Amino acid sequence: MTLTGSTRVHLSGLSKTFHDPRDGRARPVLRDFALDLAAGELVAVVGASGTGKSTLLHVVAGLVPPDAGEVSTVGADGGPPRLGMVFQQPRLLDWCTARQNVVLALEAAGLPGGGADEVLAAVGLADHADAFPTTLSGGQRQRVAVARAFAIEPDLLLLDEPFSALDEITARRLRLLLQELWMARPRAGLLVTHNPLEAALLADRVVVLAGSPARVAAEYRVDRSRPRSPEDPLLFDLHTRIVADLA
């Protein structure tokens, strides 16, 4: 399929099965799964642990091949998209400074490294650009990871439970930071999370996965303009409905 218009990701008939190395038993994770993602749209995929959220993200990223189905992605220029990815762990190079970690990503994307300081300032790390990751807090390291992903101006941003390893106060701050960055630099994005309130706060659309293999149990359009507040009653109501779907 050739994607046209605003579509950036098209998944159709997607299937993936893993085999338990202990007994060889097949474990189907995805079967005949479909999803479309538009330019500028942030879609959150919510599900319990083991539902297949990260597998779905890794298939879109090209890190895991599907067993069957179609995975089509396109960038703003009609070619392959430039991907930015934020993992559960920062995955920084400890022997490089915060600035150097961002510069390496820029250079790998064929972009000038001079933009590193600007994006580090945008995530509140202007005073820590020369710090090594081992001297930074967990939240600061994840800010560098977010800065690295946004610095390359990706067509498609993939977020694999980026705040799940952080304490709730730090995670809340980074969710609000991500919202600010998204408002300043909107793009297509796929967020996988087990946190329904995080999904309601950040996403334009929430897809709830359940079962094994995963199926779409519910889908919601978040009818609230940005910036959003975690205390918004509408978002909490949506959170409650997602929890009920998961249960």
Side-chain angles (χ1 to χ4, degrees):
M1 174 182 178
T2 300
L3 301 190
T4 59
S6 64
T7 304
R8 286 291 173 261
V9 176
H10 173 76
L11 309 178
S12 177
L14 200 65
S15 296
K16 183 65 184 179
T17 296
F18 292 103
H19 292 82
D20 191 318
R22 297 167 297 181
D23 57 16
R25 181 177 298 176
R27 178 176 171 262
V29 179
L30 300 170
R31 181 179 296 158
D32 198 26
F33 187 86
L35 179 69
D36 283 338
L37 182 64
E41 181 183 33
L42 177 55
V43 174
V45 177
V46 183
S49 296
T51 309
K53 305 182 304 298
S54 290
T55 297
L56 175 63
L57 196 78
H58 293 165
V59 168
V60 174
L63 300 175
V64 173
D67 297 330
E70 181 181 14
V71 181
S72 299
T73 58
V74 67
D77 61 358
R82 180 180 292 159
L83 294 180
M85 194 158 185
V86 183
F87 297 92
Q88 295 179 33
Q89 300 296 331
R91 300 193 181 187
L92 303 177
L93 301 178
D94 287 341
W95 56 91
C96 294
T97 65
R99 179 189 290 110
Q100 289 168 338
N101 270 278
V102 177
V103 167
L104 285 172
L106 286 165
E107 292 177 344
L111 299 173
D117 284 338
E118 178 183 353
V119 73
L120 285 171
V123 299
L125 291 177
D127 294 336
H128 299 277
D130 294 318
F132 289 91
T134 53
T135 68
L136 299 174
S137 69
Q140 288 172 329
R141 289 194 295 272
Q142 199 65 343
R143 283 174 184 248
V144 177
V146 170
R148 180 179 57 190
F150 271 88
I152 64 171
E153 295 291 338
D155 299 308
L156 176 60
L157 183 63
L158 304 176
L159 302 146
D160 188 4
E161 301 196 45
F163 311 129
S164 62
L166 303 173
D167 65 87
E168 182 54 31
I169 298 300
T170 302
R172 176 189 169 100
R173 289 172 180 159
L174 290 190
R175 290 180 196 119
L176 294 174
L177 170 64
L178 179 61
Q179 177 177 235
E180 291 177 12
L181 293 173
W182 201 271
M183 291 174 65
R185 308 178 184 191
R187 63 207 66 244
L190 188 62
L191 163 70
V192 301
T193 179
H194 61 263
N195 187 321
L197 189 56
E198 177 174 279
L201 174 69
L202 294 174
D204 298 295
R205 183 160 47 105
V206 179
V207 176
V208 183
L209 297 187
S212 182
R215 60 178 176 81
V216 177
E219 184 171 330
Y220 299 98
R221 176 71 59 178
V222 185
D223 187 21
R224 189 63 97 212
S225 61
R226 297 182 178 92
R228 300 171 183 165
S229 166
E231 284 74 36
D232 186 330
L234 182 144
L235 300 184
F236 189 77
D237 178 64
L238 178 55
H239 156 270
T240 303
R241 293 163 67 187
I242 295 170
V243 170
D245 294 327
L246 293 172

